[in-house]
Amino acid sequence: MKIDIMTLFPEMIEAVMRESIIGRAQEKGLVSVSATNIRDYALDKHHKADDAPYGGGRGQVMLAEPLFLCHEALCAGGQVHTVFLSAQGRPFDQAKARELLAREHVILVCGHYEGVDQRFIDACVDEEISIGDFVLTGGEIPAMAVADAVCRMVPGVLPDEEAFTAESHWAGLLEHPHYTRPENWRDRPVPDVLLSGHHANIEAWRREMSLRRTKQDRPDLFAHFIPRDKTDQKLLRRIEEDEQT
């Protein structure tokens, strides 16, 4: 998995993506996350990457040509899928992360200032992605979030596949609660079932908690949930009965 991030602040990307799980994965050669400075492709000695917008208005707009030249250099030698991190983009979710995982090489473009010259987007960008209905000062944090979400699913990055398939959003549900030592913390005990050693009961409890949590906290997700078997149907009936009492 190769991810290139086009940015005005490569040090910001490298400081995060060289640490922890993704950093170790890069050391092992499982993934590659690289930051390229767009200013290195500027056409003047001052490395100018932005200018005033046509039509007037406040702020600056990132120039198309440095972006294009940077993108062109990163595209050399292979098939590339280019994503622009944008407030106008499609909301990023686990399904989109899995789509990007299927790509061999992804370029993430970080905008800044008031935006990016639309002509670059029209010429080079395959899709726009947003990480939420809010505005940040630049695309670096969204790009790192996308890169992390994708890279952690590459085989070998996490100990086993269940490390991410059992988590929130993988199958349209939120994850169950977690507990660790001590058994009783400030008069708050761990649920008895987790101490029972009965694995089938533990799994049933975790599934039920996942269903309850999703229905309560993310009804938008729960509205699309389809029971996977009779056990799910039984759990759902129990949850509905509890709500009616």
Side-chain angles (χ1 to χ4, degrees):
M1 181 77 220
K2 179 177 175 59
I3 297 179
D4 280 303
I5 300 177
M6 293 171 49
T7 173
L8 297 176
F9 302 97
E11 299 85 358
M12 185 177 177
I13 304 293
E14 291 164 0
V16 174
M17 303 310 292
R18 293 290 174 183
E19 297 294 330
S20 190
I21 292 171
I22 304 303
R24 291 193 294 272
Q26 293 203 72
E27 290 174 0
K28 294 176 183 177
L30 298 172
V31 300
S32 171
V33 183
S34 301
T36 300
N37 195 334
I38 297 164
R39 293 188 189 278
D40 291 344
Y41 295 86
L43 302 179
D44 70 319
K45 65 180 181 180
H46 300 294
H47 303 289
K48 187 176 178 62
D50 59 278
D51 209 331
Y54 278 123
R58 62 185 179 184
Q60 300 286 96
V61 175
M62 292 181 68
L63 294 164
E65 190 65 8
L67 286 162
F68 179 84
L69 294 174
C70 181
H71 183 265
E72 185 177 50
L74 294 175
C75 285
Q79 190 120 24
V80 176
H81 185 75
T82 303
V83 176
F84 175 46
L85 286 308
S86 161
Q88 289 80 38
R90 165 187 165 179
F92 183 67
D93 56 18
Q94 192 66 36
K96 175 53 66 175
R98 290 162 74 173
E99 284 181 29
L100 294 178
L101 179 65
R103 308 280 184 175
E104 290 186 11
H105 185 189
V106 174
I107 294 177
L108 303 177
V109 182
C110 302
H112 254 277
Y113 313 122
E114 288 302 309
V116 166
D117 192 309
Q118 183 65 38
R119 292 169 294 184
F120 167 76
I121 298 172
D122 295 340
C124 300
V125 171
D126 295 302
E127 64 175 322
E128 298 183 45
I129 285 177
S130 167
I131 64 165
D133 293 335
F134 51 88
V135 179
L136 299 171
T137 55
E140 283 72 23
I141 290 174
M144 288 187 283
V146 170
D148 188 287
V150 173
C151 287
R152 70 193 300 277
M153 293 187 291
V154 172
V157 173
L158 296 181
D160 53 65
E161 188 177 272
E162 190 177 351
F164 56 83
T165 59
E167 291 185 329
S168 292
H169 301 293
W170 180 262
L173 294 175
L174 301 183
E175 195 175 7
H176 58 78
H178 295 277
Y179 298 87
T180 187
R181 294 181 177 83
E183 290 183 17
N184 192 306
W185 176 76
R186 296 179 180 267
D187 296 324
R188 295 172 183 267
V190 172
D192 290 338
V193 65
L194 298 180
L195 306 175
S196 68
H198 195 298
H199 297 298
N201 287 350
I202 291 172
E203 287 307 308
W205 179 86
R206 286 175 171 168
R207 184 67 174 178
E208 180 177 348
M209 292 303 102
S210 179
L211 291 168
R212 288 182 182 275
R213 176 176 276 183
T214 307
K215 187 172 186 182
Q216 175 180 311
D217 296 340
R218 289 295 302 275
D220 56 322
L221 290 178
F222 192 79
H224 300 286
F225 172 70
I226 299 175
R228 66 184 181 185
D229 52 27
K230 291 182 178 179
T231 300
D232 271 359
Q233 294 172 352
K234 182 179 179 180
L235 291 173
L236 289 172
R237 285 195 297 271
R238 180 191 301 170
I239 293 170
E240 289 173 1
E241 289 170 0
D242 289 347
E243 291 175 344
Q244 293 170 3
T245 59

